[in-house]
Amino acid sequence: MTLTRTRLSRRQTIAATTIGNALEFFDFTVYGFLALVIGKLFFPTFNAYGQLLLTVASFGVGFIMRPLGGIMIGAYADRVGRKKAMTLTIFMMALGCAMIAFAPTYAQIGVAAPLLIVAARLIQGFSAGGEVGASTTLLVEHATPVNRGYMASWQFASQGLGILIGAVVVGILSTVLGPQGMESWGWRVPFFLGMLIAPVGMYIRRHLEESLEIKDEPAGAAPRRSSLAEVCGDHGKTVLAGILTTIGGTVAAYVVTFYMPTYAIRELGLPPPVALFGAALVGLLSFGLAPFIGRWSDRAGRKSLIVWARVALLVLIYPGFFWLNASPTPAVLFTVVGVLSSLLVMQTVPGITMLPEMFPKHVRASGMSLVYSVGVALFGGFSPFISAWLLNATGNKLAPAWYLLAMTLVSLLGLLWLEDFTGKDIDAAGAHQPAH
């Protein structure tokens, strides 16, 4: 009976976390698929390149707040529970979506329009910074030592599901409405849909089982250090290694998923629906492959999968971009995106499992949130901006491939200092010794 209840509890945890997280990532990432339309409406005083650069920069602005959101919401999750933190992130993401959905354009209110968009992206970034840490920690803490990779894989699978839904929705709208319809009102539809996250997310997460045991502090006890001070002070080396390791996966994710559609449209002349369905393929593969990669990492170990996936990515990045430029057809785009995204799943699932495994339970959400959000903020979120800038500055259409290759190589260094906790009890006494 207990075993049945435990299995049922895990299924409910996976379902509630996956659906809620997918809705959050739909809200956060659909902006990237509408970059060209938003650029025309909110940055019309610039040329086409300036519009693109400012739009992908405003996409990246959402990532500036992720470390702050990760620190504050991670600490909140470690203090009052993962469940309450995940409820908070849902409402903040919905608020950001509503601000964009109802935002007047530059033609209506002038410079206040792009400022409103930036404010909305900052709120969404704050929310996303806390969501990943709290939800991944909850999944890991509902797992056993032998299935943590599988449980954590649903966090990344849910990101893929959100991306898939976002790309399909924008792709269908672009096909049905055409450029004029999208610029007139169609671009707002995905953000209106995203506002549904609040009631839907609240409903599905209401029955989640909390994984953190809240203990009252004994009378007269010394004040406990802040989560941030403890994570950085006692586990500083782990934090730095984790950020380095995270760079490779996040840069690959945002170049392949969010910059590639814009690149295919602007530089290769492919129609918007084809490029968007290429992004949908990334989401589909992420959602479909993640649980299998999670199971694999539980057997083979996290580090070995990450290393082999990144080595393969290093070998294939440049040939993939070269082939796409030489033969810019839908079939080639889907093939290149499919291969690169499969390698992305193979490295990101064990990577995202390792992050909460590296920290003790009382600061686990804080540590996970800090490492992931800083890695994503510094490199991942601004990857589309850096790629667009490099391409224009060098005139070389293969510049994004060189950037992705360099960041993948750098990220391998972080793995040297990380311990692989595959199959180990991460809550055992002495599992995480403070660094001295």
Side-chain angles (χ1 to χ4, degrees), residues 73-288:
I73 298 177
Y76 182 69
D78 283 330
R79 189 172 67 253
V80 304
R82 324 306 189 200
K83 187 174 171 180
K84 289 183 178 179
M86 290 164 66
T87 302
L88 174 63
T89 61
I90 278 180
F91 283 106
M92 294 191 70
M93 188 64 74
L95 173 61
C97 242
M99 289 172 66
I100 298 174
F102 289 104
T105 63
Y106 189 95
Q108 295 171 309
I109 62 170
V111 73
L115 293 178
L116 185 62
I117 292 291
V118 169
R121 290 296 297 167
L122 291 173
I123 292 172
Q124 288 188 320
F126 188 92
S127 170
E131 167 69 19
V132 174
S135 61
T136 310
T137 298
L138 184 81
L139 286 165
V140 163
E141 290 175 348
H142 274 273
T144 66
V146 297
N147 71 353
R148 277 198 306 268
Y150 171 73
M151 288 292 288
S153 72
W154 287 100
Q155 208 289 334
F156 189 69
S158 66
Q159 293 185 31
L161 182 60
I163 292 166
L164 171 62
I165 296 170
V168 169
V169 167
V170 175
I172 291 173
L173 285 170
S174 299
T175 302
V176 173
L177 299 179
Q180 287 188 335
M182 286 297 291
E183 290 179 25
S184 175
W185 60 272
W187 69 273
R188 297 183 187 272
V189 173
F191 297 106
F192 281 119
L193 293 175
M195 290 165 57
L196 296 173
I197 188 175
V200 173
M202 188 67 180
Y203 176 77
I204 61 178
R205 288 184 171 178
R206 185 172 55 185
H207 302 294
L208 266 175
E209 183 180 331
E210 179 58 63
S211 62
L212 179 69
E213 183 182 349
I214 310 297
K215 297 179 180 179
D216 294 326
E217 293 290 336
R224 181 180 149 187
R225 284 189 297 167
S226 70
S227 297
L228 179 62
E230 185 167 348
V231 166
C232 294
D234 293 347
H235 308 281
K237 182 179 177 181
T238 300
V239 169
L240 291 175
I243 291 172
L244 270 178
T245 303
T246 303
I247 289 172
T250 58
V251 170
Y254 287 95
V255 169
V256 174
T257 310
F258 302 110
Y259 180 66
M260 190 71 81
T262 303
Y263 179 83
I265 296 167
R266 273 186 55 87
E267 306 299 333
L268 306 180
L270 290 174
V274 171
L276 283 166
F277 282 114
L281 176 62
V282 179
L284 179 63
L285 288 171
S286 299
F287 181 66

Side-chain angles (χ1 to χ4, degrees), residues 21 24-25 28-29 59-74 93 121-133 135-136 155 159 246 250 253-254 258 352 365-366 368-378 380-382:
N21 202 48
E24 285 231 31
F25 269 82
F28 187 71
T29 58
F59 175 77
V61 157
F63 292 83
I64 292 175
M65 291 295 284
R66 286 184 76 152
L68 182 60
I71 291 167
M72 294 183 68
I73 298 177
M93 188 64 74
R121 290 296 297 167
L122 291 173
I123 292 172
Q124 288 188 320
F126 188 92
S127 170
E131 167 69 19
V132 174
S135 61
T136 310
Q155 208 289 334
Q159 293 185 31
T246 303
T250 58
Y254 287 95
F258 302 110
I352 208 169
S366 299
M368 158 75 189
S369 299
L370 176 64
V371 170
Y372 185 81
S373 58
V374 170
V376 172
L378 292 180
F382 281 97

Side-chain angles (χ1 to χ4, degrees), residues 344-361:
L344 172 65
V345 179
M346 187 175 170
Q347 64 171 298
T348 305
V349 168
I352 208 169
T353 305
M354 288 185 76
L355 297 185
E357 289 180 322
M358 296 186 304
F359 300 98
K361 191 167 189 175

